[in-house]
Amino acid sequence: SVDTATPYVQQTLGYTVRLYYISGSLIDGRIDQDPPDGASLQKIGDDLQLSQRIGNDDYSVVERRFLLIPERSGVVTIPPARFLGRSMGLFDSVFGGREEMRIRSEQISLRVKPIPAAAPQPWLPLRGLTLRYLEAPRSLRAGESATITVEAVADGATAAQLPSLSLTAGDAAQIFAEPAQTREEFVGGRPQATVLRRYSVLPARDGTLRIAGPRVSWWDTEAGVARIAS
């Protein structure tokens, strides 16, 4: 499965391969997935071992997750996933037989859209993006530092794809940024990245201090419009 069949060029997609088999029937085997022409494919994390009941049968499930990024517009075809292994039949435990198993999935075709002419640059296609303050002082004292913490959550991207978050205050204060803390997950069949960044703010003088927060321009892939998170 892929989280959308109509992505944009350079949009990060979640692609998932699942192997279902009756519990206890599989001896060994391997899953192979060739990359598509016109897109990059990167396996993420380890395979997951799950279970699922379908009808009256209990299945074991091997789930493998990938990041898929189309590199050109037009039709991009994901080749079928393949499994080669050995299974144990009903009477194999008695007679010692083993059966070779070869199966494959259906191929998936994507209709990849070009980057819109009205899209902001740098190009950042996402399902969603939110910015918020987790910590911010109500008042400050000149010469004493305080902490501001900003969180960004991007639906449909890795942390490396997000721009750096910054605060500015001109010459009214010094701002020191700590290294960003990142967390990456696979939510709803696609990647989700959370970036947390802390800043120490040191006011230079008394009076009103205006701190400009981060602003990130991005493209809403669901609505097909440009947006700004701030």
Side-chain angles (χ1 to χ4, degrees):
S1 63
V2 65
D3 72 86
T4 178
T6 56
Y8 287 90
V9 171
Q10 297 175 6
Q11 179 180 346
T12 302
L13 310 178
Y15 173 59
T16 306
V17 173
R18 297 184 185 91
L19 173 72
Y20 296 80
Y21 61 95
I22 298 294
S23 300
S25 65
L26 202 60
I27 300 170
D28 57 26
R30 73 171 190 267
I31 299 172
D32 293 313
Q33 174 67 63
D34 294 328
D37 291 333
S40 66
L41 188 70
Q42 176 188 349
K43 180 179 178 292
I44 57 172
D46 297 325
D47 292 348
L48 301 180
Q49 302 289 332
L50 311 171
S51 60
Q52 185 174 343
R53 187 168 185 83
I54 302 177
N56 296 322
D57 296 317
D58 291 321
Y59 284 83
S60 294
V61 184
V62 178
E63 181 173 291
R64 182 171 296 179
R65 297 163 168 181
F66 298 86
L67 296 180
L68 176 67
I69 303 178
E71 297 169 343
R72 58 168 173 80
S73 59
V75 176
V76 172
T77 301
I78 306 173
R82 306 183 308 279
F83 174 79
L84 173 62
R86 295 183 300 160
S87 65
M88 180 180 294
L90 181 61
F91 302 105
D92 287 347
S93 58
V94 177
F95 298 105
R98 299 292 186 269
E99 178 183 351
E100 185 178 90
M101 178 181 292
R102 293 175 180 267
I103 58 176
R104 57 192 292 162
S105 67
E106 299 292 333
Q107 70 179 22
I108 298 177
S109 293
L110 308 177
R111 299 192 307 277
V112 183
K113 295 176 284 190
I115 298 175
Q121 296 296 325
W123 169 239
L124 184 60
L126 299 170
R127 293 266 193 146
L129 178 63
T130 59
L131 294 176
R132 63 170 180 160
Y133 290 109
L134 297 185
E135 183 180 12
R138 293 293 184 181
S139 61
L140 298 170
R141 288 180 177 274
E144 296 182 6
S145 65
T147 300
I148 295 178
T149 305
V150 176
E151 179 192 66
V153 179
D155 183 357
T158 63
Q161 294 171 304
L162 297 180
S164 178
L165 303 177
S166 61
L167 305 180
T168 57
D171 61 357
Q174 291 180 293
I175 299 180
F176 305 94
E178 297 182 11
Q181 301 175 25
T182 61
R183 184 177 73 251
E184 296 181 334
E185 303 171 284
F186 212 76
V187 180
R190 58 183 177 269
Q192 177 175 293
T194 300
V195 177
L196 196 72
R197 196 159 199 192
R198 292 185 174 88
Y199 308 83
S200 293
V201 179
L202 183 63
R205 54 181 178 268
D206 294 347
T208 299
L209 173 61
R210 175 177 171 79
I211 300 174
R215 293 170 59 87
V216 179
S217 298
W218 60 285
W219 184 264
D220 187 329
T221 60
E222 292 296 285
V225 296
R227 299 192 188 278
I228 297 177
S230 62

